[in-house]
Amino acid sequence: MSQTDLTRERLIETYRKKAKRYDITCRLYPAPGYPQREQRLRAVRALRLRPGDTVIDMACGTGLNFPLLEEVVGPGGRIVGVDLTDAMLAQARDRVEKNGWGNISLVQSDAAGFDFPAEVNAILSTYALTQVPECAEVIAYGAKALSGGGRWAVLDLKVPGRTPGWLTQLGTATVRPFASIDDWMMRRPWEAIRVAMQEELADFSWTELFFGTAFLAAGSRDPLA
Ligand SMILES: C[S@@+](CC[C@H](N)C(=O)[O-])C[C@H]1O[C@@H](n2cnc3c(N)ncnc32)[C@H](O)[C@@H]1O
């Protein structure tokens, strides 16, 4: 088994253990009181969705973004939740059933191998893409699947620029259970995401959030491309 496959297996195992309690424990990520909901709302707003739109929630986990997305796309829209971990998707499925949402489909897939449907209006990924080694490729594949003017938005944690020790811990706590923090900090995946989005999308924006411990990157597919 390759190192990449091993890392992926460990990640799935970790999220299988976390899945049932994820909605509660994630409120403590990366630290108690962290403004996660505000950040999610900002990310959804950055998609500029309209009623009836189709949106992909990449690495959707238990579906915490679904209510926010439902609110804007409405029953005439479509949401596709994609995740690698079966147990996280099982929680997402429960959420969909409990809320009676008939317009959400769930797909178990590695983000890197996901066959994006054509002409989607938006793609969102929250607190997940820096965990995907092929994050730049995922940005590029997704960008090609967007309709003209369609939006990509990525919200995730990062290590702040000038970093006091406590802030570094805050920014990296989320990756601690399944990967070496050192590896994550060395790889600096948010930089690869930034470069890929800048290359693939028009109208690119990069906003650092909460003392640089998170970022919101967004852009549109050039309608003429
Ligand atoms: C911290 S959770 C975030 C879940 C959700 N996006 C949220 O905002 O609550 C990370 C999720 O990414 C998923 N994930 C990690 N690597 C992935 C990959 N390569 N492809 C698809 N999903 C992946 C995990 O299974 C997990 O559900």
Side-chain angles (χ1 to χ4, degrees):
M1 199 185 263
S2 71
Q3 189 53 43
T4 314
D5 289 341
L6 262 176
T7 308
R8 193 168 285 124
E9 285 306 310
R10 278 205 350 239
L11 187 137
I12 292 171
E13 269 315 308
T14 303
Y15 278 108
R16 277 189 183 142
K17 287 187 198 130
K18 284 164 160 281
K20 282 213 168 110
R21 288 185 306 274
Y22 177 83
D23 289 0
I24 294 166
T25 55
C26 93
R27 289 187 206 146
L28 308 173
Y29 278 158
Y34 195 77
Q36 209 187 100
R37 185 175 159 77
E38 289 78 359
Q39 293 184 355
R40 287 180 192 278
L41 280 167
R42 264 182 98 144
V44 171
R45 275 201 298 269
L47 297 174
R48 301 180 195 157
L49 289 164
R50 285 176 299 202
D53 276 353
T54 296
V55 56
I56 292 175
D57 188 349
M58 180 51 74
C60 64
T62 61
L64 283 173
N65 295 324
F66 292 171
L68 307 177
L69 295 171
E70 278 287 345
E71 210 170 297
V72 268
V73 301
R78 202 176 139 228
I79 299 169
V80 182
V82 181
D83 203 280
L84 185 60
T85 309
D86 47 4
M88 294 294 271
L89 283 175
Q91 296 299 310
R93 196 160 295 114
D94 276 359
R95 186 188 305 280
V96 169
E97 280 164 14
K98 277 186 192 131
N99 285 279
W101 292 319
N103 59 346
I104 301 185
S105 44
L106 299 172
V107 182
Q108 186 177 3
S109 169
D110 190 325
F114 181 62
D115 191 10
F116 283 89
E119 294 288 306
V120 294
N121 303 105
I123 308 170
L124 173 68
S125 187
T126 58
Y127 307 115
L129 211 55
T130 60
Q131 299 169 21
V132 179
E134 306 86 350
C135 51
E137 286 88 338
V138 176
I139 297 286
Y141 298 149
K144 286 181 182 54
L146 288 171
S147 55
R151 304 274 296 162
W152 230 131
V154 179
L155 164 68
D156 212 331
L157 300 175
K158 63 180 274 294
V159 176
R162 281 197 210 142
T163 322
W166 67 273
L167 271 180
T168 305
Q169 290 302 315
L170 197 92
T172 55
T174 193
V175 295
R176 184 171 296 134
F178 60 86
S180 146
I181 295 176
D182 291 345
D183 174 63
W184 187 77
M185 286 172 73
M186 291 269 288
R187 278 196 302 119
R188 301 179 71 81
W190 53 93
E191 288 179 356
I193 291 170
R194 182 179 186 148
V195 171
M197 291 188 80
Q198 229 162 352
E199 277 173 7
E200 299 291 337
L201 300 162
D203 191 17
F204 170 73
S205 67
W206 175 270
T207 313
E208 304 235 341
L209 306 171
F210 207 65
F211 306 104
T213 56
F215 66 90
L216 172 59
S220 314
R221 174 158 183 182
D222 186 340
L224 305 172

